[in-house]
Amino acid sequence: MTEPHPLTQLLQRSTQRVRAFDRRRPLVWDVLVTGFFVVAALVDASGGWRNTAPNTSVPGWLVVLLSTTLSLPLLWRRRRPMAVLAVMVAASLVSSWSGAMLQASLIQMIVLFNIAMRLPLPTLGRAGLMMTAPLVVGSFRYPEDSWDQQIIPYVWAYAMVALLGIAVRSRQDYTQALVERARRLEVERDQQAQLAAAAERTRIAREMHDIIGHNLSVITGLADGGSYAAAKSPERAAQALEAIGTTSRQALGELRRLLDVLRDDAPATAELAPQPALTDLGRLIDGVRAAGLPVRSTVHGRADAVPAGRQLTVYRVVQEALTNTLKHAGPGAQASVDVIYGDDGVRVEVTDTGVGAGAGADGSRRPSTGGGRGLTGMRERTALYDGTLEAGPLPHPPGGWRVRLHLPKDSETP
């Protein structure tokens, strides 16, 4: 990108400083500007005006009065620009009629510039017509050259000042629009960040529920079985304790991997750690069997063409369904897991023969006093892939519970 010319940079910095001072101390700036032009007008009124005046016999008191009237109203140019211009045009008319032709009349262009910057274009047009009136009066009252040579140069000067005011106004509007757009983009960015954070919290809560809930259920089942077997079969109790240790270490590993992603200084490899896949279903079912729940499983087809996201969803749904069976199916229950990989996607059905606690308010199997999130998490995962999930009790007899999942085939998968 090309660096601006040093002179351009100097002008930009100077302009920014003047504007900053004007914004901080507008009254001080107005007093300084007005004081400068009042002094300049009075200096001209001390005798210099006679060098250009067609009538040098104008009384001195009138020249001083007109000079003050043409300069002092600048102090109110921001609040009442049209009223200030009207007073100055009236003084300019007297100046033209008397023949003084004071150079202080040019101070009107400062008011014209303010009008061009702040007021509508019709008002600017009226201001231009008002300022033209003294020119016409002077050209007819004291004709020196042709009337157009006395009027047109001033009209062009007024037009240039008006165009400059319009240009500055357009630039300020454009800058303000950019600032407003940047502000809106910042607000939208913050909103997107909040939405992303909420979605990430939901995802983490779902993963935590699946990891901790399932493994604690397995550990609880193993502990109950181990305490029962301790008195009659110490070797079975030792096996239960070993299984508890294995399940606990597995849960801690998954939990540590999930929490590592949340750390600010987490290594990049934390995001690359593998999530559970369909090849891990066998190990999941073996852990549930070790906890004391007989599980029959059948698989039809191959999972090679199933994307990783869909594999994780199937795994978590099966995990949650078996966890609910462990928690609520009651003693003597059995479960079955059927997975079918077909042309239309993946179908999973998990059923059990339990007669434990009934359905909660959201249709999930849990005690009525609980606050389970299992079914909600399963449905959220299913909705990500436009799938369908059904969960509910089976007809009685024989009774039991069924969770049925269907994930359609990915349209981008060959």
Side-chain angles (χ1 to χ4, degrees), residues 148-163:
D148 57 330
Q149 292 180 353
Q150 290 183 269
I151 296 177
I152 297 302
Y154 289 98
V155 172
W156 273 111
Y158 296 162
M160 293 300 295
V161 171
L163 289 175

Side-chain angles (χ1 to χ4, degrees), residues 6-307:
L7 181 59
T8 303
Q9 294 180 345
L10 177 61
L11 290 175
Q12 289 177 347
R13 287 195 298 267
S14 301
T15 303
Q16 290 173 356
R17 288 170 184 166
V18 170
R19 289 177 178 173
F21 181 79
D22 187 20
R23 285 193 297 268
R24 292 195 307 268
R25 309 280 179 111
L27 181 59
V28 175
W29 178 255
D30 289 344
V31 169
L32 290 175
V33 171
T34 303
F36 172 81
F37 283 104
V38 168
V39 171
L42 292 178
V43 169
D44 184 62
S46 64
W49 63 276
R50 291 186 175 88
N51 297 326
T52 58
N55 180 15
T56 58
S57 61
V58 179
W61 65 268
L62 181 58
V63 173
V64 173
L65 178 62
L66 293 176
S67 298
T68 305
T69 307
L70 285 169
S71 56
L72 187 60
L74 276 180
L75 189 61
W76 297 277
R77 72 186 186 280
R78 296 182 197 259
R79 287 171 286 180
R80 299 186 178 276
M82 289 301 293
V84 169
L85 184 63
V87 172
M88 298 174 74
V89 166
S92 184
L93 281 170
V94 176
S95 175
S96 298
W97 181 265
S98 65
M101 299 293 182
L102 297 176
Q103 297 298 310
S105 297
L106 297 177
I107 300 176
Q108 298 173 95
M109 290 193 289
I110 299 177
V111 184
L112 180 66
F113 179 79
N114 280 266
I115 293 174
M117 282 187 58
R118 294 178 174 85
L119 299 182
L121 289 179
T123 305
L124 177 62
R126 291 194 298 270
L129 291 176
M130 291 169 58
M131 294 175 63
T132 306
L135 301 177
V136 175
V137 170
S139 65
F140 281 99
R141 176 74 170 162
Y142 298 97
E144 296 179 357
D145 299 317
S146 60
W147 68 272
D148 57 330
Q149 292 180 353
Q150 290 183 269
I151 296 177
I152 297 302
Y154 289 98
V155 172
W156 273 111
Y158 296 162
M160 293 300 295
V161 171
L163 289 175
L164 179 61
I166 293 173
V168 173
R169 177 180 185 171
S170 301
R171 179 68 179 178
Q172 289 179 346
D173 291 343
Y174 177 71
T175 303
Q176 186 177 1
L178 289 179
V179 171
E180 178 63 21
R181 182 167 179 259
R183 187 192 65 80
R184 289 199 303 268
L185 289 175
E186 185 176 356
V187 171
E188 292 176 3
R189 182 198 64 189
D190 293 342
Q191 291 175 345
Q192 292 294 332
Q194 292 174 1
L195 292 175
E200 185 65 11
R201 285 196 297 269
T202 302
R203 185 189 70 82
I204 293 171
R206 190 167 55 228
E207 291 290 337
M208 294 280 285
H209 173 274
D210 292 340
I211 293 171
I212 297 177
H214 170 75
N215 287 285
L216 285 182
S217 296
V218 172
I219 291 172
T220 301
L222 290 170
D224 290 342
S227 62
Y228 176 77
K232 298 182 179 180
S233 180
E235 63 276 5
R236 295 291 300 275
Q239 293 175 1
L241 290 174
E242 183 179 354
I244 289 174
T246 302
T247 304
S248 300
R249 284 189 293 273
Q250 179 182 354
L252 285 174
E254 292 188 20
L255 187 60
R256 186 179 296 111
R257 174 174 51 80
L258 180 62
L259 295 178
D260 281 344
V261 179
L262 303 180
R263 292 169 46 199
D264 293 336
D265 58 344
T269 54
E271 299 181 359
L272 303 178
Q275 292 275 15
L278 292 176
T279 54
D280 300 312
L281 275 178
R283 186 171 58 184
L284 171 68
I285 293 173
D286 289 340
V288 175
R289 287 173 180 157
L293 176 66
V295 181
R296 178 188 60 82
S297 64
T298 58
V299 178
H300 301 278
R302 296 176 59 86
D304 299 341
V306 181

